[in-house]
């Protein structure tokens, strides 16, 4: 049985990625870089918005200097309109609580973004108090392992005894670098890309308690 679980946030706990990718697609097209969904996932899934700006410019987009701040404000407003939990996430959290297994969140998203999305779900948010960690705040977003190592320290659990739940190859790479087991959540594909980074793919959150040995 795992000793602690560290969840990614976007695409694992909350279904925020459709809104974020839709807004990013609109902006990239407006700035001269039209992309379909598969291309956007390949380039930007699991990254940060500042990182997306750098990569988009390298790919030829005319991204303004103030774009990152402006994008965040529009994204937060869009997410505030409604960001559902991923299906059956509460089932997993209930099982962890019943087993006495501590858990935390390690996200490349900003702290404010987590407040906007998770804050819409008070029952879950209350259980995550003091356990929301941002790679941007740490100054070391994934694929660096720092975020997951920090979360493990805060939980008081050795990294090798932690399990990470991720949906992006970038995050799976961070978990591997941190020496942690990683389960790759792939409800809509991506299983091969996650497995290539050492993650163990699964497609339904209802499978996770069993996979964790609960």
């Amino acid at each position: 049985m795992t000793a602690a679980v560290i969840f990614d946030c976007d695409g694992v706990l909350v279904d925020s990625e459709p809104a974020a990718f839709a807004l990013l697609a609109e902006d990239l097209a407006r700035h001269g870089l039209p992309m379909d969904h598969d291309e956007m996932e390949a380039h930007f899934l699991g990254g940060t918005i500042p990182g997306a700006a750098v990569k988009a410019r390298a790919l030829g987009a005319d991204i303004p200097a103030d774009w990152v701040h402006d994008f965040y404000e529009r994204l937060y407003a869009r997410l505030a309109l409604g960001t559902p939990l991923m299906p059956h996430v509460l089932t997993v959290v209930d099982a962890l609580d019943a087993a006495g297994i501590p858990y935390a969140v390690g996200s490349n998203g900003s702290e404010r973004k987590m407040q906007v999305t998770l804050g819409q779900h008070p029952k879950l948010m209350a259980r995550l108090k003091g356990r929301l960690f941002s790679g941007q705040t740490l100054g070391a977003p994934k694929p660096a392992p720092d975020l997951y190592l920090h979360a493990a320290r805060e939980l008081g659990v050795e990294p090798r005894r932690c399990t990470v739940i991720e949906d992006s190859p970038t995050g799976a790479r961070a978990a591997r670098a941190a020496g942690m087991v990683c389960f790759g959540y792939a409800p809509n594909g991506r299983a091969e890309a996650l497995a290539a980074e050492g993650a163990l793919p699964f497609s339904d959150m209802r499978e996770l308690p069993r996979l964790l040995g609960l």
Side-chain angles (χ1 to χ4, degrees):
M1 182 185 297
T2 186
V5 173
I6 308 171
F7 294 96
D8 176 44
C9 186
D10 300 298
V12 171
L13 294 181
V14 292
D15 194 14
S16 53
E17 289 180 344
F21 272 109
L23 185 59
L24 183 59
E26 294 167 13
D27 275 29
L28 292 180
R30 186 166 66 250
H31 294 296
L33 187 65
M35 283 188 168
D36 63 29
H37 187 77
D38 289 343
E39 289 175 314
M40 291 183 61
E41 279 199 356
H43 286 292
F44 305 117
L45 182 66
T48 65
I49 299 305
V54 172
K55 185 169 286 189
R57 290 187 184 106
L59 292 169
D62 182 22
I63 300 293
D66 63 349
W67 178 79
V68 170
H69 174 76
D70 177 65
F71 182 87
Y72 269 133
E73 291 302 316
R74 289 181 287 121
L75 176 60
Y76 296 151
R78 186 173 292 198
L79 292 172
L81 296 175
T83 305
L85 293 176
M86 298 302 288
H88 311 297
V89 157
L90 290 178
T91 299
V92 177
V93 175
D94 287 342
L96 290 170
D97 283 340
I101 303 296
Y103 48 89
V105 179
S107 176
N108 265 358
S110 67
E111 292 183 9
R112 182 177 168 192
K113 184 180 181 184
M114 287 188 278
Q115 293 293 331
V116 169
T117 58
L118 290 167
Q120 297 174 39
H121 307 282
K123 290 183 179 179
L124 178 59
M125 192 63 160
R127 296 151 93 171
L128 293 170
K129 185 177 181 180
R131 290 181 280 175
L132 299 176
F133 306 111
S134 166
Q136 294 190 47
T137 299
L138 287 177
K142 309 168 204 174
D146 306 52
L147 174 60
Y148 284 142
L149 293 172
H150 175 78
R153 284 193 298 272
E154 291 295 314
L155 291 173
V157 179
E158 295 178 16
R160 63 182 178 82
R161 302 183 65 214
C162 294
T163 300
V164 167
I165 314 302
E166 265 291 351
D167 73 320
S168 76
T170 298
R173 197 175 312 139
R176 184 177 62 185
M180 300 177 181
V181 171
C182 180
F183 287 109
Y185 183 46
N188 302 308
R190 305 178 192 161
E192 290 184 4
L194 286 162
E197 296 293 346
L200 305 169
F202 71 104
S203 60
D204 190 319
M205 281 290 172
R206 289 171 293 189
E207 302 172 44
L208 194 50
R210 175 184 59 81
L211 294 172
L212 293 170
L214 305 182

